């Protein structure tokens, strides 16, 4: 095996390589590697087929690639002798390659794999590739004989082990990047070169000889490999076709599981949401709502409830035109899209028949079941998209006047106002993430020296569909739907962040007021949010002032007092906002340790033309100062109002459009600087 026979007549044979076939063998190895990596990548994804299925396919593809490369590489080599292969031994040689590939992919997909694991896998894989190569060499039958140069023989095995280890390590390290085509191609080329380098090193270890002269020694004959190459090519092609079909089937099954309801076989909510943005404007949209379905499932089990849904499905299929699209968007709701160009009257007639049929009992397991239902419908004017029609229908179903008496209810924008409100509630989380919410700041000015004494942070929403929405519109909606607390947390963090940015930019510190809604005043979470953000941005608590509404304090006075005490202990200022709009606020002024009173705009509108309003305003200011409270008057818009306030002995702080409308952070600082430079005073 490693030495020439002891004979005086030894004729060494020298072969030649066809460059084109050598290049083809490298390409085959790289393509096989790419196919195997693609299958292995599929194994990382959620699949209908088990992981072992894709692991086996990847191993077979890689093994066949290594095997094919070997025999195509052998075809590139020519000797001046005739040659053929032992078919059983040739086919047997593929097994070590497949086994080595399986081992490689198995280890590559394990978690917490160490370098020792890679080394062990590299040794086994390298030995497997080498075994395939030398078993394939043993399958050669020819007139000549051959031996191996021992050091090159060992080097070829060493190369197989080392290259397998490196390829395995790189492949595992780059596993998460395999979705990127460039990374996968580069890794495939590396693995392909690793396979071919071992092969051609192994071929370099072979010494062909003969003990007798070979006729036609000057003429080199290529191995008769046509049938073998053809068989290998057909085998790889079949494997790739089967892999492609399996992948398509897997994707189809995955699509059906994710986008279709398994019970009714109708498209589900995910598919409906997809279609909301892609379907062109339609004639109309209907939502069939089944009421109290859970009553049947709780009483008789889920199987009974499923049979009710199946009965409704059969009814819909029998009544609706074949071109209509039906979705099961929730457990008890179906969305119905009519066929294109269906007239409103026709659609109303069809839907009327649906709700009419449901008035009759549905027979389930010999039990007559009365299915309570309602159908909401909204019609298109050829401009509205499906998404808007769906929002309208949901407005109908969420309206408090809704009854489940088998009615067909058409959306009426005058009656069903839920659509806009629900849209805002649904969009608020996205608004926070997409920076649709932003803050503006309105200054407070001391009427004694006209210096800016603080800022109030005010929330704004630039909605992509509705444009700039007034805070007076969206804040009550968020409060009613329990969304205002997380928005308040967002405001607190962004105010603290802005104060920190201003400090870094050398802007003099400004105390900033933040509005705290209703019941959040007494929430323990509010304290932790304030402490966390003050610490996070490294600002003094005295730079924050919390504005709490009078009504929220009055409704829970005992807990409000405790909460305000804690705020004060933290070093925060606390202002009572909209003072005077409640009914009992004066009796609580001495109990709550607030620092500031903000007088509502309603007390200022009649000043100074109304003597009564002027007297009331003066009395409130005097009362507040007697309690050592800072006073801020909101809503100052005219010079007459400013003149009246400056005529009062006390000097309250003023906030309003007379000085400045709310501005963004950059613009308000520029306004303050410009005001300081010009030495502006009230006229």
């Amino acid at each position: 095996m490693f030495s020439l026979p002891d004979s005086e007549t030894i004729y060494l044979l020298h072969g030649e390589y066809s460059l084109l076939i050598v290049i083809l063998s490298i390409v085959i190895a790289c393509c096989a590697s790419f196919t195997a990596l693609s299958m292995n990548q599929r194994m990382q994804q959620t699949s209908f087929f088990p992981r072992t299925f894709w692991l086996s396919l990847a191993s077979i593809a890689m093994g066949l690639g290594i095997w094919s490369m070997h025999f195509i590489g052998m075809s590139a080599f020519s000797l001046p002798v005739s040659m053929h292969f032992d078919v059983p031994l040739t086919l047997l040689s593929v097994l070590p390659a497949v086994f080595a590939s399986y081992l490689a992919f198995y280890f590559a997909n394990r978690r917490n794999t160490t370098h020792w694991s890679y080394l062990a896998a590299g040794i086994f894989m390298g030995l497997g590739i080498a075994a395939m190569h030398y078993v394939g060499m043993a399958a050669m039958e020819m007139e000549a004989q051959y031996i191996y140069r021992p050091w090159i023989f060992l080097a070829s095995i060493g190369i197989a082990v080392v290259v397998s280890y490196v390829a395995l390590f790189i492949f595992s390290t780059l596993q998460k990047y395999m979705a990127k085509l460039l990374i996968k191609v580069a890794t495939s080329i590396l693995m392909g070169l690793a396979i071919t380098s071992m092969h051609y090193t192994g071929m370099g270890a072979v010494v062909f000889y003969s003990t007798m002269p070979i006729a036609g020694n000057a003429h080199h004959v290529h191995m008769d490999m046509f049938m073998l190459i053809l068989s290998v090519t057909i085998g790889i092609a079949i494997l790739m076709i089967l892999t492609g079909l399996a992948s398509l089937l897997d994707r189809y099954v995955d699509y059906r599981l994710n986008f279709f309801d398994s019970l009714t076989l109708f498209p589900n909510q995910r598919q409906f949401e997809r279609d909301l943005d892609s379907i062109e404007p339609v004639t109309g949209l209907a939502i069939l709502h089944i009421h109290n379905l859970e009553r049947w499932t709780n009483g008789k089990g889920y199987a009974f409830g499923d049979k009710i849904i199946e009965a409704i499905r059969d009814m819909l299929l029998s009544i609706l035109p074949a071109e209509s699209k039906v979705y099961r968007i929730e457990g008890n709701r179906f969305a119905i899209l009519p066929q294109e160009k269906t007239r409103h009257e026709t659609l109303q007639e069809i839907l009327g028949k649906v709700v009419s049929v449901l008035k009759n009992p549905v027979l389930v397991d010999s039990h007559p079941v009365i299915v309570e239902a309602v159908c909401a419908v909204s019609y298109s004017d050829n401009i509205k998209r499906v998404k808007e029609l769906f929002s309208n229908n949901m407005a109908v179903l969420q309206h408090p006047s809704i009854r489940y008496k088998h009615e067909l209810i058409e959306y009426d924008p005058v009656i069903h106002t839920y659509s806009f409100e629900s849209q805002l509630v649904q969009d608020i989380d996205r608004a926070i993430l997409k920076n649709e919410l932003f803050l503006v700041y309105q200054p407070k000015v001391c009427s004694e020296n006209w210096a800016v004494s603080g800022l109030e942070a005010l929330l704004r929403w630039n909605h992509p569909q509705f444009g700039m929405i007034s805070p007076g519109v969206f804040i009550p909606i968020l409060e009613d739907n329990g969304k205002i607390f997380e928005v308040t947390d967002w405001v607190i963090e962004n105010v603290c962040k802005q104060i920190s940015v201003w400090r870094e930019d050398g802007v003099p510190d400004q105390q900033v007021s933040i509005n705290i809604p209703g019941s959040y005043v007494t929430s323990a979470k509010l304290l932790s949010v304030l402490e966390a953000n003050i610490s996070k941005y490294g600002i003094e608590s005295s730079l924050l002032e919390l504005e709490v509404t009078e009504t929220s304090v009055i409704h829970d006075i005992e807990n409000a007092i405790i909460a305000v005490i804690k705020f004060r202990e933290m070093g925060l200022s606390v202002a009572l906002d909209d003072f005077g709009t409640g009914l009992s606020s004066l009796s609580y002024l001495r109990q709550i340790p607030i620092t500031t009173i903000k007088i509502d705009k309603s007390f200022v509108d009649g000043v100074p033309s109304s003597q009564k309003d002027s007297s009331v305003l003066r009395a409130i200011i005097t009362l507040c100062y007697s309690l050592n409270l800072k006073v801020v008057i909101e809503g100052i818009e005219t010079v007459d109002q400013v003149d009246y306030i400056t005529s009062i002995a006390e000097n309250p702080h003023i906030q309003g459009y007379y000085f400045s409308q709310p501005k963004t952070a950059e613009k308000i600082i520029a306004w303050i600087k410009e005001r300081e430079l010009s030495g502006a005073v009230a006229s």
Side-chain angles (χ1 to χ4, degrees), residues 111-163:
R111 296 181 179 178
N112 303 322
T113 307
T114 65
H115 281 286
W116 292 109
S117 300
Y118 291 130
L119 181 60
I123 291 173
F124 282 111
M125 184 178 179
L127 291 176
I129 294 174
M132 183 281 305
H133 176 83
Y134 290 111
V135 171
M137 292 290 293
M140 292 189 305
E141 296 179 350
M142 56 183 173
E143 298 173 1
Q145 297 171 298
Y146 61 88
I147 63 168
Y148 294 107
R149 296 185 178 95
W151 290 111
I152 302 179
F153 175 85
L154 293 174
S156 68
I157 298 175
I159 288 174
V161 171
V162 171
V163 170

Side-chain angles (χ1 to χ4, degrees), residues 215-233:
N217 191 55
H219 180 67
H220 287 70
V221 180
H222 284 280
M223 301 177 187
D224 185 11
M225 297 279 292
F226 175 77
M227 289 305 297
L228 182 60
I229 293 176
L230 181 63
S231 301
V232 167
T233 304

Side-chain angles (χ1 to χ4, degrees), residues 637-669:
E637 297 179 354
T638 68
V639 65
D640 291 337
Q641 291 171 338
V642 173
D643 289 341
Y644 176 76
I645 291 171
T646 56
S647 68
I648 301 175
E650 293 81 9
N651 296 291
H653 299 259
I654 304 171
Q655 181 179 354
Y657 274 41
Y658 174 81
F659 292 104
S660 173
Q661 63 183 10
K663 298 178 182 291
T664 60
E666 297 77 15
K667 290 183 178 179
I668 196 64
I669 296 302

Side-chain angles (χ1 to χ4, degrees), residues 444-451 453 597 599 618 621-622 624-625 629-633 642-655:
K444 304 170 190 174
V445 176
C446 177
S447 61
E448 182 178 12
N449 55 19
W450 306 110
S453 57
I597 288 290
I599 299 177
R618 182 189 292 268
I621 295 173
T622 302
C624 293
Y625 272 101
L629 298 174
K630 175 182 173 182
V631 177
V632 177
I633 304 176
V642 173
D643 289 341
Y644 176 76
I645 291 171
T646 56
S647 68
I648 301 175
E650 293 81 9
N651 296 291
H653 299 259
I654 304 171
Q655 181 179 354

Side-chain angles (χ1 to χ4, degrees), residues 3 42 141 269 342 413 418 525 535 597 634:
S3 60
R42 187 64 185 162
E141 296 179 350
Q269 186 173 8
T342 300
Y418 173 79
K525 183 188 175 187
S535 174
I597 288 290
E634 297 178 296

Side-chain angles (χ1 to χ4, degrees), residues 165-176:
Y165 166 77
V166 172
L168 192 60
F169 179 76
I170 293 176
F171 170 70
S172 297
T173 305
L174 298 178
Q175 183 81 279
K176 60 183 178 181

